[in-house]
């Protein structure tokens, strides 16, 4: 196991810079997920760590040692790709044994490691099969097995579950997590899927356009997003974001919308963005709004009954607002109702810079 560190890491392809000097320190045994939209530089960063791409400038350290000039095979890492890259003509056993044979590991040691990995991954019944005789999930496990047998200091994964259907993706996610809990190997995992990031990561690194927007635990990036980008990327449905103007402790939502008091302890002037998670919006049931809440008229557009709760998509003063409410609440599309905003959970962002303003709302408190 090992620590991993990026220092002012830059990647340029010709004149085009695609990774703009990122800094990241990964602890020994940590599971780090790089997440962000397609093209934001996740794979490029991972490939520089693997040694598959040159580093334009900056430094990568594995366990304190600068590896910029170290060959991929001497970095003591193992990478699992999206397409698995299994050898079609080899059995599962041979696919897993191959890299060890190549390294001239003793035959008995190879056998021990392959059988141990097969045991961890539930692959024993399939050791004699060829990749084409396996399901997608089994192939994925073989690709992981190939990484495990090498007993590397660091695991690298690039979108390893994207080729699986939704259900299998869910169960493989659980297996990935179990595997990490069992082996405890430092892991850097790349995905564009924020659910994967949130469920797997010890810490999430949210990337956008070759920059790091925020590094934090899943709780931190969800409850205290550092920017509009993170607020809009993490969570489904995403945070409700309404342009607002602040003046003398009050906030006007939208052009001509509701005026609400700034939440206690929050300040700001000029053009802001008001943010509220769907679970912090409820449907008012007639009784007056208690302190810290405000009722606003909303036009119901779409209702999604999800079983455990209902999603109500509305417009408030011309802006889309989603509410996650109790399952028995079923408004009709076209209906006007009052949504109740929990202002204590307000997020505020500077409209010009996109950065969060002030302390994030307290979290971890019970839902009202
Ligand atoms: P991600 O994995 O986050 O989707 P990538 O790291 O693959 O993104 O790509 C980041 C940016 O670098 C993209 O704009 C992509 O087009 C560009 N890029 C990636 N590989 C190359 C390459 N070999 N030559 C030129 N540009 C590249
Ligand atoms: Mg990629």
């Amino acid at each position: 196991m090992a620590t991993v560190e990026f220092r002012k890491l830059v990647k340029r392809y010709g004149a085009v810079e695609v990774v703009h000097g990122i800094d990241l320190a990964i602890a020994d045994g940590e599971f780090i997920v790089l997440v962000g939209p397609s093209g934001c530089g996740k794979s490029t960063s991972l490939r520089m760590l693997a040694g598959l791409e040159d580093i334009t400038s900056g430094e990568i350290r594995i366990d304190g040692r600068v590896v910029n000039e170290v060959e991929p095979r001497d970095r003591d890492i193992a990478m699992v790709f999206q397409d698995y890259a299994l050898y079609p003509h080899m059995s599962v056993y041979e696919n897993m044994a191959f890299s060890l044979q190549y390294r001239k590991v003793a035959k008995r040691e190879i056998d021990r490691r392959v059988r141990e990995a097969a045991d961890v991954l539930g692959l024993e019944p399939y050791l004699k099969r060829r990749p084409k005789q396996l399901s997608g999930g089994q192939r994925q496990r073989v690709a992981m097995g190939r990484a495990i047998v090498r007993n590397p200091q660091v695991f690298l994964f690039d979108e390893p579950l994207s080729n699986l259907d939704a259900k299998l993706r869910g169960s493989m996610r659980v297996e990935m997590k179990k595997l990490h809990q069992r082996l405890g190997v430092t892991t850097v995992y790349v995905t564009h899927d924020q659910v994967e990031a949130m469920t797997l990561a010890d810490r999430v690194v949210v990337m956008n356009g070759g920059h790091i927007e925020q590094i934090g635990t899943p709780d931190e990036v969800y409850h205290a997003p550092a920017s509009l980008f993170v607020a809009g990327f993490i969570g489904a449905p995403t945070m409700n974001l309404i342009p607002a103007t602040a003046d003398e402790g009050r906030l006007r939502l939208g052009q001509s919308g509701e005026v609400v008091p700034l939440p206690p302890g929050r300040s700001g002037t000029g053009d802001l963005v008001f943010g509220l998670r769907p679970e912090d919006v409820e449907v008012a049931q007639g009784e007056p709004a208690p302190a810290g809440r405000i009722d606003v008229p909303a036009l119901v557009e779409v209702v999604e009954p999800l079983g455990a709760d209902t999603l109500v998509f509305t417009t408030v003063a011309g802006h889309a607002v989603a509410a996650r409410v109790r399952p028995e609440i079923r408004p009709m599309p076209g209906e006007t109702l009052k949504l109740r905003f929990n202002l204590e959970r307000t997020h505020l962002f500077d409209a010009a810079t996109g950065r969060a303003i002030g302390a994030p709302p307290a979290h971890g408190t019970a839902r009202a």
Side-chain angles (χ1 to χ4, degrees), residues 61-76:
R61 289 167 182 261
I62 299 176
D63 230 13
R65 174 173 78 131
V66 179
V67 295
N68 290 36
E69 306 300 328
V70 176
E71 288 295 317
R73 65 169 177 278
D74 297 325
R75 293 192 185 194
D76 207 0

Side-chain angles (χ1 to χ4, degrees), residues 237-242 273-279 281 320-323 341:
T238 56
M239 186 185 289
N240 298 303
L241 296 168
I242 305 175
V273 176
F274 169 90
L276 201 59
R277 293 268 181 212
E279 61 268 35
V281 180
V321 171
F341 287 1

Side-chain angles (χ1 to χ4, degrees), residues 277-293:
R277 293 268 181 212
E279 61 268 35
D280 300 322
V281 180
E282 54 183 339
V283 174
Q285 302 290 345
E287 78 290 7
R293 320 258 155 152

Side-chain angles (χ1 to χ4, degrees), residues 38-39 41-44 82 158-159 190:
S38 176
K42 307 179 296 291
S43 293
T44 303
Q82 180 179 341
D158 194 349
E159 312 252 5
V190 161

Side-chain angles (χ1 to χ4, degrees), residues 88-241:
H89 59 287
M90 289 185 192
S91 69
V92 168
Y93 186 101
E94 288 161 345
N95 263 284
M96 291 205 274
F98 181 77
S99 73
L100 300 178
Q101 285 160 352
Y102 180 80
R103 272 151 222 265
K104 308 262 185 288
V105 175
K107 210 166 167 189
R108 279 186 52 190
E109 175 65 9
I110 293 176
D111 193 62
R112 190 187 67 78
R113 290 206 215 167
V114 169
R115 290 187 188 281
E116 195 175 285
D119 175 41
V120 168
L121 295 164
L123 283 173
E124 288 128 322
Y126 311 106
L127 284 172
K128 292 199 172 111
R129 290 202 196 172
R130 298 278 163 93
K132 69 169 190 299
Q133 299 167 300
L134 300 174
S135 69
Q138 289 162 344
R139 276 181 221 162
Q140 171 57 37
R141 275 194 278 272
V142 178
M144 296 206 307
R146 264 197 328 198
I148 291 171
V149 295
R150 292 177 46 195
N151 195 17
Q153 296 221 60
V154 185
F155 281 134
L156 308 184
F157 292 98
D158 194 349
E159 312 252 5
L161 308 185
S162 336
N163 285 345
L164 306 177
D165 64 49
K167 193 162 170 223
L168 194 52
R169 215 157 46 227
S171 59
M172 286 304 292
R173 212 163 61 207
V174 175
E175 290 198 25
M176 296 274 323
K177 198 158 183 166
K178 276 194 207 153
L179 194 67
H180 182 254
Q181 284 164 359
R182 179 157 169 185
L183 303 176
V185 176
T186 310
T187 300
V188 188
Y189 185 107
V190 161
T191 180
H192 65 274
D193 178 348
Q194 58 98 15
V195 176
E196 245 170 64
M198 296 292 280
T199 52
L200 285 171
D202 292 322
R203 284 189 304 154
V204 177
V205 178
V206 183
M207 293 185 67
N208 178 29
H211 292 284
I212 291 178
E213 290 271 339
Q214 186 171 7
I215 303 172
T217 63
D219 270 343
E220 284 165 352
V221 295
Y222 187 82
H223 292 290
S227 66
L228 274 175
F229 179 84
V230 178
F233 191 79
I234 303 284
T238 56
M239 186 185 289
N240 298 303
L241 296 168

